[in-house]
Amino acid sequence: MRADISVIAWDFDGVLNRNIVDGRFVWADTLEDDLGIALDAFERGVFDATFAQVISGKRDIKRHLQDWLDRCGHTLDAEDLLDYWFARDDLKDPFTCGLLEHLAGHDVVQVIATNNEDRRSSYIEHQSGFGSLVSQVFSSGRIKSAKPDAAFFTHVSNALRVAPSEILLIDDSATNVRAAKALGWKGFHFTEQSRQELVSFLGL
């Protein structure tokens, strides 16, 4: 393991959670068959201009979903939709999760650094079990700032009391990796093409 890295900050969706394939969230493939909700309508209505407020913890996702369901005339309760969404979206990547568990035996702190609101962050910690696998889950909903904003990265490094140069971000967003590097972090852009390079990058 590289001696110049004391903290690994794992992104969640697209890195530890292999839920993005060819640019789509695979959890929603059967959304219409299962719940009668058309995917294109869901994406337009839920991931609208106000969704940034959800991700940054300024608007509750349950209220956000319920407002949309009510506008569309769906009888489904937002709580049931969230339960379905979170469970279907729980698709751990065997490769990265295997690395995370392997690194538990090394002298390195591991955390999750994710753009997720608080309800899903809690699901990741408890139902998905990552709370017992990492030291902490840093999420945009709790920090009230989302990657690639500098405030997100500053919060993480300050909370860990570690110099930015000792922290490695592993993220599937090139924008997030560039933002982290601009603040002195190390970065690894995780993609389908680069994933097999991660082991050697970490010096394992």
Side-chain angles (χ1 to χ4, degrees):
M1 176 69 198
R2 285 173 54 169
D4 60 340
I5 298 171
S6 60
V7 175
I8 296 176
W10 295 91
D11 180 36
F12 190 70
D13 294 308
V15 178
L16 290 176
N17 200 44
R18 198 170 191 179
N19 58 344
I20 303 171
V21 177
D22 297 328
R24 81 181 198 282
F25 282 95
V26 296
W27 74 267
D29 283 350
T30 59
L31 179 64
E32 187 164 9
D33 289 340
D34 292 343
L35 301 181
I37 297 174
L39 178 56
D40 58 346
F42 176 85
E43 290 178 337
R44 287 195 309 272
V46 175
F47 302 117
D48 60 6
T50 65
F51 195 70
Q53 297 176 21
V54 174
I55 290 299
S56 60
K58 299 176 178 67
R59 177 171 168 77
D60 180 57
I61 192 169
K62 182 180 176 181
R63 180 72 264 164
H64 182 76
L65 285 176
Q66 193 63 61
D67 287 348
W68 175 75
L69 288 166
D70 292 344
R71 287 196 308 271
C72 296
H74 289 292
T75 58
L76 185 68
D77 184 77
E79 190 77 40
D80 294 331
L81 179 53
L82 280 174
D83 289 345
Y84 174 89
W85 182 353
F86 291 172
R88 296 279 300 182
D89 208 17
D90 192 351
L91 299 165
K92 300 175 184 66
D93 188 319
F95 172 69
T96 49
C97 288
L99 267 180
L100 186 149
E101 293 187 23
H102 173 73
L103 286 164
H106 291 70
D107 188 22
V108 62
V109 174
Q110 298 187 87
V111 300
I112 288 174
T114 179
N115 281 352
N116 267 296
E117 49 73 45
D118 187 56
R119 290 180 187 269
R120 184 144 185 265
S121 302
S122 295
Y123 186 97
I124 289 167
E125 284 177 325
H126 303 297
Q127 283 87 346
S128 293
F130 282 94
S132 63
L133 299 176
V134 298
S135 297
Q136 193 166 343
V137 174
F138 292 100
S139 70
S140 55
R142 295 169 177 175
I143 294 171
K144 302 296 188 286
S145 180
K147 297 178 291 184
D149 290 349
F152 181 97
F153 299 106
T154 301
H155 176 95
V156 173
S157 58
N158 287 346
L160 293 170
R161 299 182 180 180
V162 174
S165 61
E166 297 179 39
I167 308 174
L168 168 67
L169 175 69
I170 302 173
D171 203 301
D172 66 332
S173 165
T175 299
N176 293 343
V177 171
R178 284 194 298 268
K181 286 183 172 181
L183 292 168
W185 289 35
K186 294 175 174 62
F188 182 89
H189 183 207
F190 186 85
T191 66
E192 284 300 313
Q193 292 71 39
S194 70
R195 61 191 285 123
Q196 296 303 328
E197 300 168 14
L198 181 56
V199 173
S200 59
F201 182 88
L202 292 170
L204 297 173

